[in-house]
Amino acid sequence: MRKQIAVLVIIAMALVGMAGAANYMYEKASVKGVGYKNVEMIISTQWGFMGQKLVEKESGSGNVITERTELEAERQLNHDGTVIGGTTCNFPTGNACPMDYINFTKEAEFEYMPVSYQTGTYDQKWVEKLCVPELQNRRRAD
């Protein structure tokens, strides 16, 4: 009986750990080649309208001569706007203190051409859409 309870406690701890969202994310990618590419990336540091947001959509067919992407995102505030860990901060953001942030850098060179495979032909000119709305971390006034 105790062994079963211990196993259940360990499983519960693992599930709680997996359910918590990550506060930091880093991704670095380098792409080269010929073919068809269709990518959508959505980053949000908070739920709903709070926090920082970034949406990128990219598609096209042809030659990807070079593409280097680097993305870093961090959640420094809880959902209610308080500082994670309850610590004070020494960030150079004045009285607003810490802010969620997203750093996104991309360098790319594409060459359009139709690409044919046994399953079909892809003939789409390169399209890149990037949306970064200007949202501020706001605390609700109660």
Side-chain angles (χ1 to χ4, degrees):
M1 181 69 170
R2 287 184 184 184
K3 189 175 184 180
Q4 290 174 340
I5 292 173
V7 170
L8 290 175
V9 168
I10 291 171
I11 291 172
M13 289 172 52
L15 290 175
V16 168
M18 286 189 285
N23 291 334
Y24 180 78
M25 183 182 90
Y26 179 79
E27 179 179 293
K28 188 172 185 176
S30 181
V31 178
K32 290 183 182 183
V34 175
Y36 175 75
K37 183 177 181 184
N38 186 4
V39 176
E40 181 175 344
M41 178 172 51
I42 301 171
I43 307 295
S44 178
T45 59
Q46 299 284 341
W47 299 291
F49 296 109
M50 301 295 283
Q52 303 301 314
K53 316 289 182 207
L54 180 138
V55 178
E56 181 202 23
K57 293 182 180 184
E58 175 184 70
S59 61
S61 63
N63 185 16
V64 179
I65 297 167
T66 182
E67 180 179 10
R68 291 182 200 93
T69 305
E70 192 166 0
L71 171 72
E72 179 183 38
E74 185 169 9
R75 187 177 119 211
Q76 297 179 354
L77 300 175
N78 290 311
H79 183 61
D80 63 358
T82 60
V83 179
I84 290 176
T87 60
T88 58
C89 63
N90 296 321
F91 290 92
T93 54
N95 295 334
C97 216
M99 308 250 319
D100 295 353
Y101 69 88
I102 298 173
N103 289 330
F104 178 76
T105 305
K106 184 171 192 170
E107 176 186 342
E109 187 177 348
F110 302 104
E111 180 180 52
Y112 161 74
M113 69 179 168
V115 178
S116 294
Y117 300 103
Q118 291 178 347
T119 57
T121 300
Y122 296 91
D123 185 9
Q124 180 185 334
K125 293 186 178 176
W126 289 100
V127 176
E128 171 86 21
K129 296 179 181 178
L130 181 65
C131 178
V132 184
E134 188 175 337
L135 297 173
Q136 299 295 322
N137 289 308
R138 290 175 232 127
R139 292 185 187 183
R140 289 192 296 180
D142 294 333

